[in-house]
Amino acid sequence: MVNIVFPVALAVLSFMTDGGCQMQLEPESVTVMRGSEVRLTCSTSAPWTVMVWLLNDAVVLSISSVHGMLPSADPNVTAEDHSAAAAARSSWVLVLRAAERHHQGHVTCDLQNVRRKSALFVQEKGSVEVSGGNRIAFRGQLVRFKCTAAEWFPDPRVEWRVNGAEVSRGEYNVSRTGGPFTVTSDLCLRAATSSQVECLASVTALAQPLSSTVRLSVVTEVLQEQECTVLLTSTAVLSSLLLFLLLSGCIVCIVLCCRRRRRTMSGQSSVAEAAAGKVNLGYSAEGLPDDFTKGTRGQTDSVSVLKVPDVVSSRSRSPRDAGQAQVDLSKVGSQNVRRLTTV
């Protein structure tokens, strides 16, 4: 009995070993982003009847060597025949159109009780942001930056770069919460020169890390870069102010000189007219203010007035005319009649 069982067991073991060697599932492990397409290839050179695909031990697709792909209940799963008749090798590709989180696990190709498993990892991309926006700091000031990478799966890797150079891991802290994961990181940077500060978050399936960048401007550098412009601007403003003051001073001087000259010429004209006899300095009009007549009366002090009596010739005037020439003082009233004759 023992002699019979041993050869049978050896034959079964030999069949399984040969079948295992003749069957391949590629790739052995695959990592993709959520929503990406997944393609796995199961091939064999041994004859087979039914190929069964399982996802986490649940059947998702069956393929017949005679009828091809059998209808599947999951529209997200399909298969493509890549068999090569010349090579006498059957090859079928399982296509998962859009990988979801629940697809993560093992993908199995079962070919007549010979199984090959492949690991499928589905990752999810979240967001990354450096809070606070661009910063302005004085040279030597300690500036704190906070980065938040939210809604990632699995736990993302977070790192910092300053002007493209990676920051040492010991210079910032990292904390993680939840799943999907949210990672926060704080970086304290001493302001030395104006820099680009960048926070990056990534997972293995992501071709390029997601990043968020802010600008750190050092005040002293900004002043140095604009020193020449500020100096020129200040000089121009100061020159304009001095020119304005100079012009204003010239205008004031010209106005004062004109006024003084006008007063001088006015005084000289008044004296000349008085000396030429054009001004009746003894005239006083009624109704004019005292201030107006004071100046005229004051000028009479310096002028010699000779009073010449009126001589009436009896020959030139008749008694009738003489009577008519008499003045009734009672009718004159308060009016003053003055005559000044300049010789």
Side-chain angles (χ1 to χ4, degrees):
M1 182 68 179
V2 176
N3 293 334
I4 297 175
V5 172
F6 180 75
V8 172
L10 184 61
V12 172
L13 180 62
S14 176
F15 173 77
M16 294 181 64
T17 304
D18 291 342
C21 293
Q22 294 175 356
M23 179 182 174
Q24 292 181 351
L25 178 60
E26 297 175 332
E28 295 182 356
S29 178
V30 60
T31 302
V32 297
M33 295 300 300
R34 178 175 174 267
S36 301
E37 183 181 82
V38 180
R39 301 174 72 90
L40 296 101
T41 303
C42 184
S43 59
T44 181
S45 58
W48 57 279
T49 303
V50 178
M51 179 184 293
V52 180
W53 288 91
L54 301 93
L55 186 58
N56 291 326
D57 295 329
V59 176
V60 292
L61 187 66
S62 297
I63 302 172
S64 170
S65 59
V66 177
H67 302 286
M69 184 181 68
L70 302 178
S72 173
D74 189 351
N76 194 30
V77 179
T78 186
E80 298 176 358
D81 186 4
H82 289 187
S83 301
R89 190 173 184 83
S90 298
S91 180
W92 281 85
V93 177
L94 174 71
V95 180
L96 186 60
R97 292 192 176 97
E100 296 294 336
R101 288 274 304 280
H102 65 271
H103 292 148
Q104 179 168 298
H106 292 287
V107 180
T108 305
C109 178
D110 187 342
L111 190 61
Q112 297 176 183
N113 293 325
V114 178
R115 293 188 172 191
R116 291 289 187 186
K117 293 184 178 181
S118 178
L120 172 62
F121 299 97
V122 179
Q123 299 181 346
E124 190 168 351
K125 175 180 64 177
S127 62
V128 59
E129 181 181 7
V130 178
S131 58
N134 297 332
R135 308 288 183 83
I136 299 177
F138 293 102
R139 185 186 295 275
Q141 183 180 353
L142 194 63
V143 184
R144 180 187 177 196
F145 297 91
K146 183 176 182 180
C147 177
T148 302
E151 300 297 318
W152 289 77
F153 185 86
D155 186 5
R157 178 188 177 187
V158 174
E159 59 182 344
W160 292 88
R161 292 180 186 174
V162 177
N163 290 333
E166 186 174 349
V167 179
S168 174
R169 178 63 182 82
E171 297 183 19
Y172 59 91
N173 61 1
V174 177
S175 60
R176 296 170 171 85
T177 57
F181 295 91
T182 296
V183 178
T184 58
S185 178
D186 295 323
L187 170 67
C188 289
L189 187 65
R190 184 76 62 180
T193 60
S194 295
S195 308
Q196 296 284 346
V197 181
E198 184 179 17
C199 178
L200 303 96
S202 63
V203 288
T204 55
L206 195 60
Q208 295 291 336
L210 292 187
S211 65
S212 176
T213 305
V214 295
R215 172 77 176 174
L216 172 63
S217 299
V218 179
V219 172
T220 54
E221 280 196 350
V222 172
L223 294 178
Q224 289 175 1
E225 291 173 359
Q226 298 180 352
E227 182 178 359
C228 183
T229 303
V230 172
L231 180 59
L232 291 176
T233 305
S234 301
T235 304
V237 172
L238 183 59
S239 301
S240 301
L241 181 60
L242 292 176
L243 181 60
F244 175 76
L245 293 177
L246 181 61
L247 291 175
S248 300
C250 292
I251 292 173
V252 171
C253 291
I254 291 172
V255 171
L256 292 177
C257 290
C258 291
R259 287 184 177 178
R260 184 176 298 174
R261 184 176 179 183
R262 189 175 299 172
R263 290 177 182 175
T264 303
M265 292 179 66
S266 177
Q268 292 177 355
S269 177
S270 300
V271 174
E273 289 177 356
K278 295 180 180 180
V279 179
N280 189 351
L281 299 178
Y283 175 75
S284 176
E286 284 186 73
L288 293 178
D290 295 337
D291 293 337
F292 180 81
T293 59
K294 279 182 181 179
T296 306
R297 292 177 181 177
Q299 294 177 3
T300 60
D301 297 336
S302 61
V303 179
S304 299
V305 179
L306 299 177
K307 296 184 179 180
V308 180
D310 294 334
V311 179
V312 179
S313 177
S314 59
R315 297 179 180 178
S316 60
R317 293 185 180 180
S318 62
R320 182 178 180 181
D321 295 334
Q324 293 177 353
Q326 294 178 358
V327 179
D328 188 357
L329 296 178
S330 61
K331 294 181 179 181
V332 174
S334 62
Q335 293 183 355
N336 298 324
V337 179
R338 297 181 182 178
R339 290 188 178 91
L340 175 65
T341 303
T342 303
V343 180

